[in-house]
Amino acid sequence: METLFSGLTLLAQWEVLVALAIGSVGGVIIGAIPGVGAAVAIAILLPATFAFEPIVGLTLLLGVYGSSMYGGAIPAILINTPGTAVNALTTYDGYPMTKDGRGHRALSLAYSASFFGGIFSVVCLIVLSPVLAMIAPHFGSREIFLAALMGIILVIVAHRGQVFAAGMLACFGIFISTIGLEPAKYTKRFTFDQSWLASGIDLIVVVLGLFAISQALLLLVDKEHKPGSANVDGNLFAGLKDLFRFKRIASASSGIGVLMGMIPGVGEFTAQFLSYTYAQKTSKNPDLFGKGSPEGLVASEAANNAVPGAAMIPLLALGIPGEALTAMMLSVFYVHNVIPGPQLFQGQLDFVVALYLALIILNVIVLIFLLFSTNLLLKIIQIPTRFLGVMILTLSFVGVYSLRNSVTDCAIASAFGVFGLILKRLNLPIVPIILGMVLGGIMEVKLRSAMARVKSPLDFIDRPISAILFIMIIGILVLHFRAVIHEQKARRQQREEGSSNMSTQQG
C-alpha cells in the first residue's frame, strides 16, 4: 500500500501529467495518420526526452506507444488504410462493417476492445509486480545473457519466411554495437583509425535514420497521397455495452496479448494472429470473419492493445527490450542512469508502480478523447503525405543534431535513412537491427561478467533459472527447425503433385 501511495505521488507531479496527456492525445493523432506510426514519433521525440526527468520522458513516450494503436484503427475501419502496421488485421472486419453502414459500431467496438485490452494488461502487470520483485534478484549475469540471447533468437524466428534476412540484420546490429571503445580495456574496435568512430555509433542516431528519415524519404519518393475523408454518425458510447456480448473473446484475446507481449521479439503481430484465429475457431459464425465480424474486430484490437503494457515486463524486470519501441525507451533509462533490471524492482518499486498507473490513466484519457473527438480527428489527419515527409525529415535532423551538435551524426543518420528506405522497398525487417544493437551490448557486458565465475560450459547453466532459459532456447530452435522441415516437405509434395498432374494431362 505504501508503494502504491509513493507511485501515485510520483505520478501526481504536474510535469508528468502534462507529458502523459500530450503523449496520449498526440499518439492517437500520430497513429491515425497513415505513414507515420509510433516508431517514427518516438524516434523524433527521443532527443527531447533526454532533457526531462526519467518519469516525465518515459510517460511521454509511453503515452505515444500505448495510444497510437487506438488512432491506427480509425483509418483502418473507415478508409481501409491502417494507420499503423499493427492495425492491418483491423481492416479485415472493420472496413466491411463501414461499407454495410455500421462504421460507428465498428469504431465504438474498436475503442472499447482497445480500452479493455489496455486495462487488462496493466492489471496483470500490477498483480505480477510482487512476483517480479521476488524473481528479479535471482537473475545474475548468466541469466540475463541467456534471456538476451533468447530475445535475439525469438526476433529472428518470428520473421517467418525472412529468417535468414532477419538473422543477418540482427548480426549487423550486433556488429554496429561493437564499434568504438570496448567496455573492459577500452581498446579500439573497427574504428580504422577514424576519430569519429572512436565513440561508437549512437543508438538514437541509428533509430532516427532507420525509422524516421527512411519513412520521410519513402513519403517523399512515393506518389502524393491525401487520406480520404469520412464522417462518423451514430452513438460511439454504444460499444461500451456492446463489448459485454463478446467478453469471452475480449478476455481471451487480451490474455494472448499479455503473454505475447511478455516474450521478447514476438509482439503485436503474433498476438493478433493467434487471437483472431482463436476467435474464428470458437465462433458460432466463423463464415463472417473477413466480411464484417464484430468478434474478429474485438479480437484484433484487444490483443494489440494488451501488448504495450506486457512488453514493459522484460524491459523493467531484466532490462531486455522485447521490440523496437521498448528498445528506444531503454535509451531514456540509460541516459538518466536508471538501470532497469532486478535492482529497479528492489530499490525503485514506486517508479515501476508509477509507470503502471500511467498506463491506466493514458487508456482512460484516450478513450474519453476518442468518444468526443473522432470527427474532429478525421479532419486533422488529412495531411498530404509529401508535406508530412518534409516535416518528419526536418524534425529528424533537428533531433539528431541536438544530441551532440554533430554534423557527423547527421551524415550517419542519413546513411541509415537510405539503408532503411532500401530495406522497406525490399520488404525486409528493420527491427532486428535495433534489437541486435541493444541486446548485443547487453550480451557482451553480461558474458564478460559471467565468465569470471564460469570454469566449464556446464557452469553456465548450473542454476535453475539459467537451466530453464537454456532449455527454452533449445526448445525454440527445435520447434523452428521442425516447422521449416515440415514446410519444405509440403512444398516438395506440392511440386510432385503438380508435376504428376502435368504429366497426366500431357498423356
Side-chain angles (χ1 to χ4, degrees), residues 274-286:
L274 291 175
S275 61
Y276 193 86
T277 305
Y278 166 80
Q280 188 172 20
K281 286 184 176 178
T282 58
S283 173
K284 293 178 182 177
N285 302 299

Side-chain angles (χ1 to χ4, degrees), residues 311-332:
M312 298 299 289
I313 290 180
L315 177 70
L316 295 173
L318 303 174
I320 295 173
E323 34 75 78
L325 300 182
T326 45
M328 296 182 203
M329 291 183 200
L330 185 63
S331 64
V332 181

